[in-house]
């Protein structure tokens, strides 16, 4: 095969992939509008997501706050601006680092889990069995998972933010003797609604893309055990890339608006 | 089996074609299934027997040809009508296809609970589930998870889950393959019992001679994407085409 025809094939595959994904997303929306969501399954998925990721997110959040404070403290001190430390740390964690890190962790744990689970349901014909028995697998399996990730991710981010601030406070108080009250007063002083709102919307979209990409990779997995591993793997890679792309878009939009 | 067959055709497949890329799997398959008839489909591995089943319920869209199920052109149906018709076709998957995150009980309740317009009380559900499990002889496994079952048990639960919807037509994909002779005999008897009790019609993919002997009124041989021979088991055993009687050696 010549180089140019390989390139053409790759481009054609890419475009077809976008078309398939579009059709998949529209079938999720359609089934959501038509059938709503199975609340029991939705709650079960939410519980699983929390259960899977809370320990890791707590530790990561805590260490993130600790390290960020340790590192930025001396720099700020050079300019005599130690008092700005809590504000700077909380702003960067809540606005940017927290959502992205937590989303990446969830993409790794939950996104790959959804990919693998759906792929194995595909391989063992469970999805086919649902379809022929007259139950809609998109509605029962996919919509519930996509909504569960979208709903849980903003909560997980808030939870991680709290642990980060705790880590940051411990670090700041040991280095600069800042009291708990002063620390949190200063940390929250810089946070406005206009920071929280776009961030929460952003994390919702992170969740949506993790759920959709994970489900898509699993739902259309290749037959055979190989397909399961492949689905899990590409779910993580593609979801992570989509997180950075969404982040870039949202940052640009918020800067245009403010 | 010698019971009289009516001439009502419940499933008709005509000139069905399906290719995957350059591989022509089905190349003009024709088939008529009559009321209360059990047809066994024979064919080498990879000739497209499962693909044929999947086309019939439209898990796979055929390239061309016609499929008529209970008087309706299934290929022309849209969402809701398609779902209604699919419920009348019971599909027993090769591996059972149990939902592995749910217990046996939930597996059986699932098609009753989540199909459109299904409104049953928990008591009614329990009764139906227990009846279906007694039917396949596995009532004691009601609260087990699929991972705790053997392959044969999974197949029987899969069968129970299909039967609970009381389908008119049953598609069995290798219901006895990989089972010991005793279990496989039991399942074959069960297939026959179901047919007699509920007046269903079935297509059965099987290479298991015992299963064929017990269940089949007719045997159809699929070769290179077409049905090349059909008749009773005896006729097929003495068929002039060596390809056909090679299945019985
Ligand atoms: N979704 C699919 N995409 C591409 N090729 C497929 C697909 N499904 C089946 N095939 C191909 O079609 C051919 C027939 O497959 P099928 O599963 O119908 O065989 P079979 O007759 O049921 O065999 P077996 O007795 O081994 O189950 C195989 O070569 C298979 O690779
Ligand atoms: Mg097969």
């Amino acid at each position: 095969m010549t180089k140019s025809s390989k390139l053409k094939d790759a481009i054609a595959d890419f475009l077809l992939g976008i078309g398939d994904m579009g059709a998949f997303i529209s079938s999720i929306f359609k089934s959501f509008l038509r059938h709503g969501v199975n609340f029991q399954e939705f709650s079960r998925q939410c519980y699983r997501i929390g259960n899977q990721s809370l320990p890791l997110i707590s530790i990561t959040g805590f260490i993130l706050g600790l390290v960020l404070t340790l590192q930025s403290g001396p720099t700020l001190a050079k300019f005599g601006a130690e008092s700005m430390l809590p504000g700077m740390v909380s702003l960067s964690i809540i606005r940017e680092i927290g959502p992205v890190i937590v989303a990446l962790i969830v993409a790794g744990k939950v996104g790959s889990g959804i990919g693998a689970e759906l792929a194995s349901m595909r391989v063992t014909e469970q999805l086919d069995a649902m379809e022929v028995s007259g139950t809609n697998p998109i509605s029962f399996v996919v919509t519930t998972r996509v909504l569960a990730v979208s709903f849980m991710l903003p909560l997980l981010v808030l939870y991680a933010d709290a642990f980060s601030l705790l880590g940051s406070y411990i670090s700041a108080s040991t280095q600069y003797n800042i009291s708990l009250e002063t620390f949190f007063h200063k940390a929250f002083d810089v946070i406005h609604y206009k920071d929280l709102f776009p961030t929460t919307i952003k994390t919702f979209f992170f969740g949506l893309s993790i759920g959709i990409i994970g489900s898509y990779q699993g739902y259309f997995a290749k037959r055979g055990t190989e397909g399961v591993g492949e689905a899990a793997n590409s779910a993580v890679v593609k979801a992570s890339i989509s997180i950075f792309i969404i982040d870039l878009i949202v940052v640009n939009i918020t800067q245009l608006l403010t | 089996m010698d019971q009289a067959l009516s001439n009502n055709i419940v499933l008709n497949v005509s000139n069905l074609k399906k290719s995957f890329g350059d591989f022509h799997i089905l190349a003009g398959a024709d088939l008529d299934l009559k009321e209360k008839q059990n047809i066994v489909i024979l064919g080498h591995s990879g000739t497209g027997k499962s693909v044929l089943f999947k086309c019939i319920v439209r898990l796979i869209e055929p390239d061309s040809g016609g499929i008529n199920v209970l008087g309706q052109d299934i290929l022309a149906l849209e969402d809701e009508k398609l779902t209604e018709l699919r419920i009348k076709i019971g599909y027993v998957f090769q591996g059972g296809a149990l939902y592995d995150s749910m217990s046996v009980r939930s597996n059986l309740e699932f098609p009753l609970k989540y199909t459109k317009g299904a409104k049953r009380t928990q008591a009614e559900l329990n009764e139906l589930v227990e009846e279906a499990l007694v039917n396949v002889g596995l009532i004691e496994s009601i609260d087990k998870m699929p991972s705790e079952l053997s392959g044969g048990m999974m197949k029987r639960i899969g069968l129970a889950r299909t039967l609970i919807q009381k389908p008119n037509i049953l598609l069995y994909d290798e219901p006895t393959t990989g089972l010991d002779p005793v279990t496989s005999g039991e399942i074959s008897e069960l297939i026959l019992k179901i047919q007699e009790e509920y007046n269903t019609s079935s297509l059965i993919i099987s290479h298991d001679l015992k299963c064929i002997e017990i269940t089949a009124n007719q045997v159809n041989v699929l070769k290179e994407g077409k049905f090349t021979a059909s008749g009773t088991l005896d006729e097929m055993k003495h068929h002039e085409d060596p390809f056909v009687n090679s299945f019985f050696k």
Side-chain angles (χ1 to χ4, degrees):
Chain A
M1 213 189 267
T2 63
K3 251 188 193 158
S4 80
S5 78
K6 247 186 204 166
L7 184 70
K8 265 185 210 156
D9 278 359
I11 293 174
D13 278 354
F14 177 72
L15 292 177
L16 282 176
I18 291 183
D20 287 349
M21 178 64 105
F24 185 65
I25 294 174
S26 96
S27 68
I28 296 175
F29 272 102
K30 261 192 223 149
S31 103
F32 177 62
L33 293 179
R34 206 176 289 169
H35 309 286
V37 65
N38 181 303
F39 192 71
Q40 205 184 346
E41 178 68 8
F42 168 76
S43 334
R44 197 175 74 90
Q45 293 304 327
C46 288
Y47 174 78
R48 269 180 65 185
I49 292 166
N51 210 13
Q52 274 177 338
S53 34
L54 273 186
L56 188 58
I57 283 177
S58 322
I59 297 170
T60 317
F62 184 80
I63 293 177
L64 192 69
L66 199 78
V67 169
L68 198 63
T69 312
L70 271 176
Q71 282 192 330
S72 5
T75 318
L76 285 177
K78 246 188 228 167
F79 301 103
E82 299 96 320
S83 66
M84 290 172 77
L85 188 60
M88 195 216 84
V89 170
S90 79
L91 204 58
S92 46
I93 284 177
I94 288 173
R95 255 202 197 171
E96 190 52 40
I97 309 177
V100 172
I101 297 268
V102 173
L104 289 175
I105 291 175
V106 170
K109 290 219 86 161
V110 178
S112 68
I114 294 177
E117 193 187 9
L118 265 63
S120 91
M121 291 180 82
R122 169 63 67 202
V123 171
T124 55
E125 300 183 310
Q126 294 175 49
L127 295 174
D128 289 339
M130 283 187 186
E131 208 169 328
V132 295
S133 74
T135 45
N136 182 343
I138 295 276
S139 163
F140 189 84
V141 179
V142 177
T143 310
T144 46
R145 282 167 176 74
V146 171
L147 285 182
V149 194
S150 318
F151 174 73
M152 287 301 285
L153 194 60
L155 298 182
L156 289 171
V157 167
L158 286 180
Y159 173 88
D161 288 349
F163 266 83
S164 276
L165 290 182
L166 184 70
S168 173
Y169 162 69
I170 289 175
S171 166
S173 70
T174 46
Q175 284 184 92
Y176 306 103
N177 245 328
I178 301 180
S179 78
L180 185 73
E181 206 186 336
T182 323
F183 179 87
F184 279 98
H185 181 71
K186 287 194 166 169
F188 286 129
D189 217 26
V190 294
I191 307 292
H192 303 287
Y193 258 123
K194 75 177 196 330
D195 297 311
L196 273 182
F197 189 64
T199 303
T200 310
I201 298 283
K202 182 167 79 176
T203 43
F204 173 80
F205 279 106
F206 286 167
L208 205 59
S209 81
I210 293 170
I212 290 174
I213 291 173
S215 308
Y216 177 82
Q217 297 300 330
Y219 201 82
F220 295 104
K222 280 204 213 110
R223 323 235 144 197
T225 21
E226 220 175 287
V228 179
E230 215 171 272
N233 191 26
S234 47
V236 180
V237 175
K238 291 181 181 167
S240 306
I241 294 173
S242 81
I243 287 166
F244 290 119
I245 294 175
I246 292 172
D247 195 37
L248 198 68
I249 295 172
V250 174
V251 168
N252 274 311
I253 291 177
T254 33
Q255 270 172 2
L256 276 180
L257 291 180
T258 49
Chain B
M1 282 196 42
D2 50 12
Q3 90 194 69
L5 294 170
S6 77
N7 282 321
N8 290 344
I9 291 174
V10 291
L11 170 68
N12 163 268
V13 174
S14 61
N15 201 17
L16 197 70
K17 294 187 181 163
K18 177 70 194 174
S19 314
F20 294 107
D22 293 334
F23 297 100
H24 302 288
I25 307 297
L26 296 175
D30 295 290
L31 181 78
D32 277 330
L33 178 69
K34 296 188 185 114
E35 213 169 38
K36 298 184 196 170
Q37 191 179 26
N38 284 343
I39 298 184
V40 167
I41 295 173
L42 276 177
H44 286 167
S45 187
T47 44
K49 304 181 298 294
S50 300
V51 169
L52 172 72
F53 273 19
K54 288 185 176 157
C55 286
I56 291 174
V57 290
R58 275 181 71 191
L59 283 173
I60 294 179
E61 294 289 336
D63 299 333
S64 67
I67 300 172
N68 190 297
V69 182
L70 298 168
Q72 295 190 68
D73 175 8
I74 194 168
L75 298 177
L77 295 182
E78 304 262 351
D79 303 350
E80 264 175 45
K81 295 272 176 216
L82 176 62
T83 304
E84 277 171 30
L85 190 55
R86 274 174 167 169
I87 294 175
K88 296 181 184 159
I89 311 172
Y91 196 129
V92 183
F93 286 86
Q94 223 164 326
L98 299 188
Y99 309 134
D100 47 24
S101 61
M102 303 177 203
S103 70
V104 168
R105 182 195 292 278
S106 313
N107 259 281
L108 268 71
E109 282 177 356
F110 190 83
L112 299 178
K113 264 185 171 168
Y114 300 121
T115 45
K116 207 176 161 264
K119 281 217 167 52
R120 290 189 176 84
T121 64
Q122 189 58 45
E124 286 170 323
L125 286 178
N126 290 345
E127 195 176 316
L128 286 166
V129 168
E130 281 160 24
E131 180 196 317
L133 284 175
V134 168
N135 238 333
V136 297
L138 282 174
I139 185 71
E140 73 282 357
S141 305
I142 188 163
D143 289 315
K144 289 199 172 140
M145 294 301 284
S147 54
E148 300 169 280
L149 304 174
S150 73
M153 289 159 97
M154 286 195 211
K155 280 195 165 180
R156 282 196 274 171
I157 302 285
L159 180 54
R161 189 182 63 190
T162 305
L163 291 177
I164 210 164
Q165 288 186 295
K166 306 241 175 341
N168 305 63
I169 298 174
L170 279 154
L171 307 177
Y172 295 95
D173 197 343
E174 312 208 2
T176 61
T177 308
L179 304 181
D180 66 275
V182 178
T183 316
S184 122
E186 280 170 13
I187 291 201
S188 308
E189 295 288 352
L190 187 61
I191 292 174
L192 188 63
K193 189 180 107 184
I194 290 159
Q195 194 267 311
E196 286 167 349
E197 219 162 276
Y198 300 104
N199 288 327
T200 53
S201 320
S202 325
L203 292 181
I204 305 158
I205 297 174
S206 180
H207 298 124
D208 173 7
L209 198 55
K210 194 164 166 198
C211 172
I212 303 174
E213 272 167 4
I214 295 175
T215 59
N217 324 99
Q218 186 181 315
V219 177
N220 283 25
V221 176
L222 187 65
K223 181 185 174 187
E224 289 163 8
K226 286 183 186 166
F227 286 105
T228 54
S230 73
T232 63
L233 177 57
D234 258 352
E235 283 164 12
M236 298 319 256
K237 275 183 181 164
H238 305 108
H239 203 275
E240 74 263 16
D241 185 352
F243 178 84
V244 173
N245 54 47
S246 71
F247 284 102
F248 306 104
K249 280 184 184 140

